[in-house]
Amino acid sequence: MGQAAISVVGLSKRYGSVTALDGVDFEVRPGTIFGLLGPNGAGKTTAIRILTTILRPSGGHAAVLGHDVVREAATVRRLIGLAGQYAAVDPNLTGRENLRLIGRLTQLPGARIRPRAGELLDRFDLAEAGDRPVRTYSGGMRRRLDIAAALVPEPPVLFLDEPTTGLDPQSRTALWQLIRELVGDGTTVLLTTQYLEEADRLAARVVVVNDGRIIADDTPAALKARLGNTVIELGMGDDARAGRAAAVIAGSTAEAAEQEGALLRLASRDGSRLLLDVLHSLESAGLVPRTVTVRESSLDDVFLALTGHRTGTAASASAASASTATGTGPAGGADDPGGAP
């Protein structure tokens, strides 16, 4: 097996009494998309900042293409591109001027700067807006320009810190396609995300981080297979009724139902048989569900099984779904608070 694009061993970072990373280990193969997944405050951005030489670790070792991020920081910086959570482009310059400026700052050969800016504007569908000030761009356009800026020096390794946060679904899907194309050209991409669907759709391998520790490291398919291929969701109408239904299910099947307000959720590798058994038991108890949903398991379900709670984005969506089923209106769920940097 060849050299890893990114290697992380025992990485830790402490801020006084707060531990942001606690002995993190993972490896990223060249030419792949690697997902660093977790809620706000899990330690994802801290890991990115260490790998991109912005922060020094408190312990452990990390390398990019074999170069230590502390001892060989200058070399690492020449090998990487970084698009952080917030756009780093100048809103008063045009898109083209921003890319040319990055070319000069990264010491791209002078004859290469103008052609490279034009190439990236074309690739990221920004050519028509290239001579407009960035302050006139939409959120999706700014995000594409920010990633284009990270690619000006043609880095073999690209770090994307929550690249689609705040984008509408259409812009998010378009950006996903661009990321796939970059990897098709040989770029290695490490992305952090709270969006379970994003990791599922893009990443060849996923590390799940919670409270600064890795709690899972596998392919998305393997993580979902651990849980079960099928998820059954039963909307019972109200919390008390759901509680009674959960007790009935526990007493009549080998599976336990997880309760989230008025919603019951079960995961199984034999979903059709379980569904029939559960519905029969509930009907006998006079507790027929108001709604029934059968779907494939997702990384949302995996994260819940691993941590006991959902990511902020998933929790909000789940609360909205439950309130719609019961007809009680928005449930008012909140994102997980950002703790460690």
Side-chain angles (χ1 to χ4, degrees), residues 207-220:
V207 157
V208 183
V209 183
N210 195 45
D211 294 330
R213 299 183 181 90
I214 289 180
I215 56 175
D217 179 356
D218 216 327
T219 65

Side-chain angles (χ1 to χ4, degrees), residues 33-38 44 143 147 160-177 179-180 189-206 220 224 298-300 311 313:
I33 303 175
F34 185 90
L36 197 56
L37 179 65
K44 306 186 303 297
R143 203 66 184 116
I147 295 176
L160 302 177
D161 194 7
E162 303 199 13
T164 62
T165 297
L167 296 187
D168 60 79
Q170 184 176 359
S171 297
R172 184 176 298 134
T173 301
L175 194 51
W176 288 349
Q177 183 56 35
I179 293 169
R180 291 190 190 97
V189 174
L190 187 153
L191 66 87
T192 73
T193 183
Q194 294 182 67
Y195 296 115
L196 287 296
E197 181 189 9
E198 187 158 85
D200 202 359
R201 294 274 292 273
L202 291 178
R205 194 169 190 89
V206 173
K224 291 187 291 184
S298 69
L299 284 178
D300 284 327
T311 62
T313 52

Side-chain angles (χ1 to χ4, degrees), residues 28 49 68 98 147 178 202 206 275 304 330:
V28 181
R49 288 174 176 169
D68 187 276
N98 267 286
I147 295 176
L178 284 169
L202 291 178
V206 173
L275 178 61
L304 177 63

Side-chain angles (χ1 to χ4, degrees), residues 43-61:
K44 306 186 303 297
T45 296
T46 298
I48 288 279
R49 288 174 176 169
I50 291 172
L51 291 170
T52 55
T53 77
I54 296 170
L55 287 177
R56 292 176 67 95
S58 302
H61 169 81

